């Protein structure tokens, strides 16, 4: 008997020890739900001592965040099933809210009457925060706080299902920021990120409750429009987006005007699945960009064929670089005063193994977009220098050769080093080279252009500004940049004999160039009459089909004998 009592006592002491050292908070109440016992974990988690809560209802921890219906359902489960398990927001003695994972059990006596309620709970506030953070990282873009690509597709699939059930339409709007890479490359990713966040806010404000805006990747945004009655709704939204981007973005001391290119596809007309809708909207967006940017296009089947052709061409272009499928032609430039050769322009040509000669108008934009143009421009520079060296070694006296540089290489941080390395490798004096830059490249970021032009001129290169007057000429920056040559674009030469405005522009450019001490060259000269007009107004040099087409080096050598 004594041994039994001793054993029972030890068992109770052990249970009490376990009860008090559990990491789970425990609370035991009587049949009237008044607290009888709490363990140490309870007091630690809630801030209340056992003396403070004894005899009170557990609802002293109530946060006030749950309504009466919540508690009615909880007690219904406790009475019917003898237990309830779930999550409850409660409040510590300090007033701090915490989320607990709790289980409540009913203890009955031998007659089936409720004797006690026992609750066991754990503070899961931090765990829940971590779960929410992980969920956010999985479904939201950390920079813009918009849904990411994964969540976008989930929402799109749900929207398509609802649309099918209601026999209505929904739309996918695919959008990217025109020339965003230029800002990113020039001013750094930090400024680029700020611009993306501001663009995300503008898009969210425009779309409001009518759809979902997601960051698809990079500078691309994808938008889902719900309940679209007609194309006019999409047109209205697209125009609102374009208008919202007409105001400049203020970043530190800078102001940028960034425009969107927008593609639109409609469900179910333009695709029966999410992938097709996005692909088709992307295809439409590309064509909006090709037609001048800052506009929108609805998807058309012919767009997809062009997109496929473009993708194939991009893949072939990568192979062309590796397999040396390019070659150079040289178009001579002649002096209007003497008629003698004054220079040549190196022009790249691509001989596709299956499709023959591919126009630079087709492959150069793709090369720029994919940044393959950096490798192509370096190849051109090296080939030109090798050709000059070959002519010199053969006893010829080659003129200055103009080489066109695209924006990615011109704005490359190692541009000067790259060119110096090529000159050193080929043994060519820099005075033989003229670096030709389009007005758009220069005016995109005049400050960077000014610094790079200074460096290029410092190593002995000449600078030519191409396409002058076509885009957004700034006479002030022309003065600061101080190029050596100014080229009149062929668009002004084409109708110079019939169009008085073109005549006025050509005359003004020639006078301006001479006043600033620049050599002016007109390109695209195709007739004797055009040549005579330019000669009469003292244009320095000319090039064009009237004199000769771009020629392979073996034929071009006839001009430098």
């Amino acid at each position: 008997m004594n041994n039994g009592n001793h054993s029972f006592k030890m068992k109770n002491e052990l249970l009490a020890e376990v009860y008090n050292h559990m990491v789970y908070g425990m609370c035991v109440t009587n049949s009237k739900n008044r607290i009888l016992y709490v363990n140490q974990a309870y007091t630690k988690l809630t801030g209340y001592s056992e003396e403070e809560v004894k005899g009170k209802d557990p609802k002293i921890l109530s946060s006030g965040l749950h309504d009466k219906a919540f508690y009615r359902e909880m007690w219904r489960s406790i009475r019917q099933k003898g237990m309830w398990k779930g999550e409850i927001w409660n409040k510590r003695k300090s007033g701090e809210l915490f989320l607990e994972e709790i289980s409540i059990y009913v203890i009955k006596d031998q007659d089936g009457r409720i004797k006690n309620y026992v609750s066991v709970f754990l503070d899961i506030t931090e765990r829940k925060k971590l779960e929410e953070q992980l969920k956010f990282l999985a479904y939201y873009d950390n920079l813009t706080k918009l849904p990411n690509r994964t969540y976008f597709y989930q929402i799109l699939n749900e929207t398509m299902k609802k649309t099918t059930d209601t026999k209505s339409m929904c739309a996918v709007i695919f959008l990217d920021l025109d020339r965003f890479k230029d800002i990113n490359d020039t001013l750094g990713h930090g400024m680029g990120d700020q611009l993306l966040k501001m663009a995300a806010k503008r898009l969210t404000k425009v779309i409001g409750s009518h759809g979902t805006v997601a960051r698809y990747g990079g500078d691309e945004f994808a938008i889902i429009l719900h309940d679209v009655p007609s194309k006019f709704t999409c047109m209205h939204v697209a125009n609102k987006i374009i208008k919202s981007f007409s105001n400049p973005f203020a970043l530190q001391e800078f102001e940028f005007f960034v425009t969107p290119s927008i593609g639109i596809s409609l469900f179910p007309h333009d695709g029966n699945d999410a992938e097709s809708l996005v692909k088709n909207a992307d295809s439409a967006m590309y064509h909006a960009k090709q037609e001048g940017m800052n506009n929108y296009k609805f998807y058309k089947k012919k767009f997809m064929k062009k997109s496929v052709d473009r993708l194939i061409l991009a893949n072939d272009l990568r192979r062309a670089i590796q397999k040396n499928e390019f070659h150079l032609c040289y178009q001579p430039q002649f002096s209007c005063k003497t008629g003698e050769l004054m220079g040549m322009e190196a022009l790249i040509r691509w001989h596709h193994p299956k499709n023959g000669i591919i126009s630079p108008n087709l492959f150069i934009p793709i090369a720029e977009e994919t940044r393959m143009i950096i490798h192509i421009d370096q190849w051109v520079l090296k080939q030109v220098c090798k050709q000059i060296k070959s002519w010199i070694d053969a006893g010829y006296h080659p003129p200055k050769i103009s080489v066109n540089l695209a924006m990615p290489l011109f704005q490359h941080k190692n541009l000067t080093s790259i060119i110096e390395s090529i000159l050193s490798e080929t043994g060519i004096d820099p005075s033989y080279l003229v670096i030709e830059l389009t007005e758009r490249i220069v005016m995109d970021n005049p400050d960077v252009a000014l610094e790079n032009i200074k460096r290029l001129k410092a190593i002995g290169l000449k600078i030519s500004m191409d396409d002058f007057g076509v885009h957004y000429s700034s006479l002030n920056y022309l003065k600061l940049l101080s190029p050596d040559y100014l080229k009149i674009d062929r668009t002004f030469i084409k109708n110079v004999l019939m169009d008085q405005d073109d005549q006025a522009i050509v005359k003004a450019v020639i006078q301006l160039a001479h006043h600033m001490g620049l050599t002016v060259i007109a390109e695209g000269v195709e007739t004797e009459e055009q040549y005579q007009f330019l000669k009469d107004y003292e244009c320095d040099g000319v090039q064009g089909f009237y004199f000769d087409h771009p020629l392979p080096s073996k034929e071009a050598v006839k001009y430098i004998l």
Side-chain angles (χ1 to χ4, degrees):
M1 184 71 175
N2 289 336
N3 287 338
N5 288 338
H6 180 70
S7 175
F8 183 76
K9 181 180 179 183
M10 287 183 62
K11 183 178 179 181
N12 284 344
E13 288 176 352
L14 178 62
L15 288 173
E17 192 73 15
V18 171
Y19 176 74
N20 278 317
H21 287 85
M22 287 180 67
V23 293
Y24 284 85
M26 290 191 69
C27 174
V28 180
T29 67
N30 60 20
S31 60
K32 295 181 179 178
N33 203 32
R34 298 295 171 179
I35 296 174
L36 298 175
Y37 313 106
V38 295
N39 67 352
Q40 291 178 9
Y42 179 100
T43 62
K44 183 178 179 181
L45 291 170
T46 66
Y48 289 102
S49 66
E50 186 172 19
E51 291 73 22
E52 289 177 301
V53 298
K54 212 165 190 178
K56 295 182 178 178
D57 193 301
K59 68 182 179 183
I60 59 169
L61 300 180
S62 177
S63 64
L65 296 180
H66 303 286
D67 57 18
K68 291 180 180 179
F70 174 86
Y71 291 107
R72 278 199 303 269
E73 180 59 28
M74 182 185 79
W75 280 106
R76 186 190 65 78
S77 177
I78 291 170
R79 293 189 182 100
Q80 291 183 1
K81 300 177 182 178
M83 63 90 64
W84 180 83
K85 193 173 186 179
E87 296 177 359
I88 295 180
W89 281 100
N90 272 335
K91 185 164 61 176
R92 307 186 207 278
K93 182 181 178 180
S94 64
E96 178 189 3
L97 297 177
F98 70 102
L99 182 65
E100 61 182 37
E101 186 178 71
I102 184 169
S103 298
I104 302 173
Y105 302 93
V106 175
I107 298 176
K108 297 181 180 180
D109 60 17
Q110 292 180 344
D111 298 323
R113 288 175 297 195
I114 294 175
K115 182 180 176 183
N116 300 101
Y117 297 100
V118 178
S119 60
V120 182
F121 66 92
L122 186 67
D123 183 352
I124 61 168
T125 311
E126 292 304 316
R127 189 181 83 190
K128 208 68 177 178
K129 284 181 182 178
L130 179 60
E131 287 175 359
E132 291 298 320
Q133 288 173 355
L134 292 174
K135 182 180 177 182
F136 183 87
L137 291 174
Y139 290 105
Y140 289 87
D141 172 54
N142 194 44
L143 177 68
T144 63
K145 312 307 178 190
L146 294 176
N148 61 14
R149 186 185 304 191
T150 301
Y151 196 23
F152 167 80
Y153 275 105
Q154 184 176 318
I155 298 169
L156 179 55
N157 282 313
E158 291 171 359
T159 304
M160 289 165 62
K161 186 178 183 306
K162 290 177 183 176
T163 301
T164 302
D165 294 341
T166 58
K167 296 182 179 180
S168 59
M169 291 195 301
C170 66
V172 170
I173 295 178
F174 206 78
L175 173 153
D176 86 349
L177 307 181
D178 299 325
R179 294 162 60 193
F180 173 77
K181 285 183 180 179
D182 299 343
I183 294 173
N184 225 18
D185 294 344
T186 305
L187 299 178
H189 294 284
M191 292 282 273
D193 286 348
Q194 291 301 312
L195 179 57
L196 289 172
K197 289 197 286 187
M198 295 171 77
K201 287 181 180 177
R202 289 196 189 183
L203 290 172
T204 303
K205 185 176 180 180
V206 169
I207 301 303
S209 61
H210 299 294
T212 302
V213 181
R215 185 184 178 199
Y216 197 80
D219 64 320
E220 296 175 330
F221 295 89
I223 300 167
I224 303 167
L225 289 185
H226 313 288
D227 300 321
V228 177
S230 70
K231 276 189 174 184
F232 293 106
T233 302
C234 301
M235 292 167 65
H236 177 67
V237 171
N239 283 319
K240 281 181 68 177
I241 292 172
I242 291 170
K243 185 178 179 181
S244 74
F245 277 75
S246 64
N247 294 319
F249 289 88
L251 292 170
Q252 296 180 14
E253 71 272 24
F254 301 100
E255 276 195 345
F256 296 99
F257 285 93
V258 179
T259 57
S261 289
I262 300 169
I264 306 168
S265 63
L266 290 164
F267 174 80
H269 305 294
D270 299 327
N272 293 318
D273 59 86
E275 289 285 351
S276 296
L277 285 174
V278 172
K279 181 175 64 176
N280 292 341
D282 184 22
S283 175
M285 181 205 73
Y286 173 75
H287 284 84
K289 191 175 287 291
Q290 288 295 98
E291 293 192 13
M293 302 181 282
N294 196 30
N295 60 31
Y296 65 88
K297 289 286 182 186
F298 283 92
Y299 168 72
K300 294 179 182 178
K301 287 184 179 180
K302 66 178 182 180
F303 289 170
M304 185 50 62
K305 183 182 184 305
K306 288 183 179 179
S307 294
V308 171
D309 291 344
R310 174 176 161 271
L311 181 62
I312 292 172
L313 199 63
N315 289 332
D316 289 349
L317 192 56
R318 288 187 177 88
R319 188 204 62 237
I321 295 171
Q322 297 168 354
K323 296 193 174 182
N324 202 27
E325 294 174 1
F326 297 113
H327 68 274
L328 294 180
C329 288
Y330 298 85
Q331 187 168 40
Q333 299 166 336
F334 297 95
S335 168
C336 289
K337 290 181 180 179
T338 66
E340 295 177 351
L341 183 73
M342 62 180 292
M344 289 184 176
E345 181 178 0
L347 298 166
I348 190 168
R349 297 293 182 261
W350 177 17
H351 191 277
H352 193 282
K354 292 182 180 178
N355 302 325
I357 298 297
I358 305 293
S359 170
N361 293 334
L362 287 177
F363 73 83
I364 292 298
I366 295 174
E368 289 182 348
E369 184 180 332
T370 57
R371 298 185 71 79
M372 285 188 279
I373 195 68
I374 292 177
H375 303 291
I376 292 173
D377 279 355
Q378 289 184 65
W379 179 87
V380 171
L381 277 166
K382 185 174 287 188
Q383 294 305 309
V384 167
C385 288
K386 285 182 177 180
Q387 185 59 64
I388 292 171
K389 183 71 164 61
S390 175
W391 280 334
I392 292 173
D393 291 345
Y396 300 122
H397 300 284
K400 296 182 186 299
I401 308 292
S402 298
V403 178
N404 295 277
L405 286 194
M407 188 181 299
L409 182 57
F410 179 65
Q411 293 186 346
H412 196 287
K413 61 181 180 181
N414 297 323
L415 171 64
T416 308
S417 299
I418 290 169
I419 294 178
E420 284 182 317
S421 176
I422 292 172
L423 291 169
S424 175
E425 181 185 337
T426 55
I428 292 302
D429 190 284
S431 63
Y432 280 105
L433 285 183
V434 177
I435 300 300
E436 198 159 295
L437 306 167
T438 65
E439 187 183 26
R440 185 181 71 84
I441 292 173
V442 172
M443 295 308 299
D444 182 74
N445 195 319
D447 294 334
V448 172
L450 178 60
E451 186 61 33
N452 284 344
I453 287 174
K454 282 181 179 177
R455 290 174 181 172
L456 293 177
K457 295 186 78 169
I459 63 175
L461 299 173
K462 300 295 184 182
I463 303 296
S464 175
M465 185 177 289
D466 197 7
D467 299 344
F468 186 75
V470 174
H471 298 286
Y472 28 59
S473 307
S474 168
L475 299 182
N476 183 49
Y477 274 113
L478 182 63
K479 177 184 174 183
L480 291 173
L481 295 168
S482 187
D484 301 284
Y485 298 89
L486 203 60
K487 293 188 79 173
I488 304 174
D489 189 71
R490 66 184 67 247
T491 56
F492 299 117
I493 304 301
K494 183 178 180 181
N495 298 314
V496 73
L497 300 175
M498 299 169 286
D499 191 312
Q500 291 185 348
D501 290 338
D502 285 347
Q503 290 179 13
I505 290 171
V506 170
K507 293 176 187 176
V509 171
I510 292 171
Q511 291 174 4
L512 173 67
H514 288 166
H515 182 73
M516 298 181 70
L518 310 180
T519 300
V520 59
I521 299 174
E523 58 183 0
V525 181
E526 298 183 355
T527 68
E528 168 70 27
E529 292 77 16
Q530 290 172 345
Y531 172 52
Q532 193 59 50
F533 174 87
L534 293 164
K535 192 174 181 180
D536 290 343
Y537 286 96
E538 299 182 342
C539 184
D540 296 302
V542 284
Q543 71 180 88
F545 292 167
Y546 174 67
F547 304 97
D548 216 331
H549 289 68
L551 301 170
S553 59
K554 290 181 180 179
E555 296 180 35
V557 74
K558 67 184 179 183
Y559 288 108
I560 59 174
L561 289 173

